[in-house]
Amino acid sequence: MRFKCVSKFYNSLTVSNAVFMNIHQCRSMNCSKFLVREVRSICAVEQKEDGNVSLLHIEEFDKLDTRQHFRLMCVNGLFCSWYKSSQPVAIFNPSTREIRFLPEVEHVDDSKFYFSLGFDPEEKMYKLLMTSTIPFKKKSTRNWGFSLGIDESWREIKTIADVYMFNDAICINGVIYRLSYFSKCVIVVFDVKSKTFRIVPLWIGEHDSTASYYMLIEVKGS
C-alpha cells in the first residue's frame, strides 16, 4: 500500500488486479481485525502474531457521523455502515483506508432502511441489498441492489413479500441471510448473483416478543 503514490499503474493494482486482491484478501483473513467506534471517530485494531495489539486512527473515517452510522456489517474485509432511518450508506475498507458513500434513492419519510453487504465468490464482486419498509403498513416493502465498481445507482428488485427487517444479517458463500418478520419470524434468503429471494420459516411463534433477540452467526460455512 505504500507504493500507491509511485505511479498510476501501482495505484490501479489495489482496485483492478484480481491476483493482488486475492493475495491481499488471504493475508487479511489470517489477521484478527476489529473496528472500534468512538464518539466521533472510528479506529482500526489489529492483533499481531506476538499477541500485541496495534491501534490505528484513520482520518478518512472521520467523514462518518458515528452518532448516525451505528449499524455495521462486515464481509471479506469490507465494512458497511448505515443508520436505519436515513441514507446514504457508507462502505469502508480499513486496509486501503478508503471510504465511499453510495447514492441515495427517493423514499417516503416514514421509511426504515436496512442494508446487507454480500460477496459473490464466483464473480469476485461485492454487492449490496437495500430494503426500505414502513412499519405496520401493508405493501410498503421495496428492495434495491447495487454492485460495487459497476453500478452508479441503485436498481430496484422485485419484492417477494412485505417483511419487517430485523438488524441482523450475514453472508455465506454469496447468499445473504437476514432475520425478518412476516406474520411470524422468518429468515429471508437473498442470492446476490441471481438476485432472487426465498423464505425460511422458523419455529418462533406469531407475535413472539423474544424474536428480535435472536442473532445469526456462521459456523463452519453454515
Side-chain angles (χ1 to χ4, degrees):
M1 300 307 297
R2 296 178 180 176
F3 298 99
K4 289 179 64 177
C5 60
V6 173
S7 66
K8 292 182 179 180
F9 171 71
Y10 283 7
N11 182 64
S12 66
L13 287 176
T14 64
V15 294
S16 62
N17 186 281
V19 176
F20 178 91
M21 291 189 292
N22 289 338
I23 295 175
H24 178 71
Q25 180 180 339
C26 291
R27 294 188 62 179
S28 298
M29 292 303 162
N30 293 326
C31 302
S32 297
K33 293 185 178 181
F34 309 89
L35 285 184
V36 178
R37 181 172 67 91
E38 298 178 320
V39 177
R40 294 184 180 276
S41 64
I42 294 179
C43 294
V45 181
E46 181 174 344
Q47 186 174 7
K48 299 182 179 180
E49 295 180 355
D50 58 5
N52 294 324
V53 174
S54 62
L55 182 66
L56 176 64
H57 173 233
I58 303 177
E59 295 181 357
E60 187 74 10
F61 290 179
D62 291 343
K63 295 178 181 179
L64 283 175
D65 185 350
T66 57
R67 296 167 297 177
Q68 297 291 326
H69 285 79
F70 67 92
R71 304 294 184 190
L72 200 64
M73 182 176 179
C74 178
V75 177
N76 285 18
L78 281 190
F79 286 82
C80 173
S81 178
W82 73 95
Y83 183 63
K84 64 180 179 180
S85 61
S86 65
Q87 299 182 85
V89 61
I91 303 295
F92 47 100
N93 186 338
S95 298
T96 61
R97 307 182 189 182
E98 295 172 327
I99 186 170
R100 177 183 177 186
F101 291 92
L102 300 188
E104 300 185 35
V105 298
E106 296 182 0
H107 64 279
V108 180
D109 291 339
D110 294 333
S111 298
K112 302 296 182 182
F113 289 89
Y114 300 90
F115 294 87
S116 303
L117 177 62
F119 181 76
D120 185 344
E122 294 185 10
E123 298 181 353
K124 305 294 184 182
M125 185 178 299
Y126 290 92
K127 300 180 181 181
L128 288 101
L129 171 67
M130 176 175 64
T131 299
S132 71
T133 183
I134 302 177
F136 311 111
K137 184 177 180 180
K138 294 182 178 180
K139 298 182 179 180
S140 64
T141 302
R142 299 175 66 186
N143 292 293
W144 291 267
F146 191 96
S147 298
L148 291 180
I150 295 181
D151 292 336
E152 297 182 357
S153 60
W154 293 88
R155 300 182 180 183
E156 189 160 5
I157 304 172
K158 184 179 180 180
T159 302
I160 51 172
D162 283 319
V163 291
Y164 184 79
M165 295 291 185
F166 290 163
N167 299 324
D168 182 54
I170 58 174
C171 180
I172 304 175
N173 295 326
V175 180
I176 295 174
Y177 303 86
R178 180 180 284 280
L179 283 171
S180 306
Y181 196 82
F182 174 58
S183 297
K184 60 181 181 179
C185 190
V186 300
I187 295 179
V188 174
V189 181
F190 178 73
D191 189 306
V192 299
K193 184 175 182 178
S194 62
K195 295 183 175 61
T196 56
F197 290 91
R198 64 185 176 92
I199 294 289
V200 177
L202 297 179
W203 65 92
I204 305 172
E206 186 175 358
H207 304 302
D208 188 341
S209 60
T210 65
S212 60
Y213 293 98
Y214 286 92
M215 294 182 66
L216 296 173
I217 62 174
E218 179 181 357
V219 179
K220 297 181 179 180
S222 300

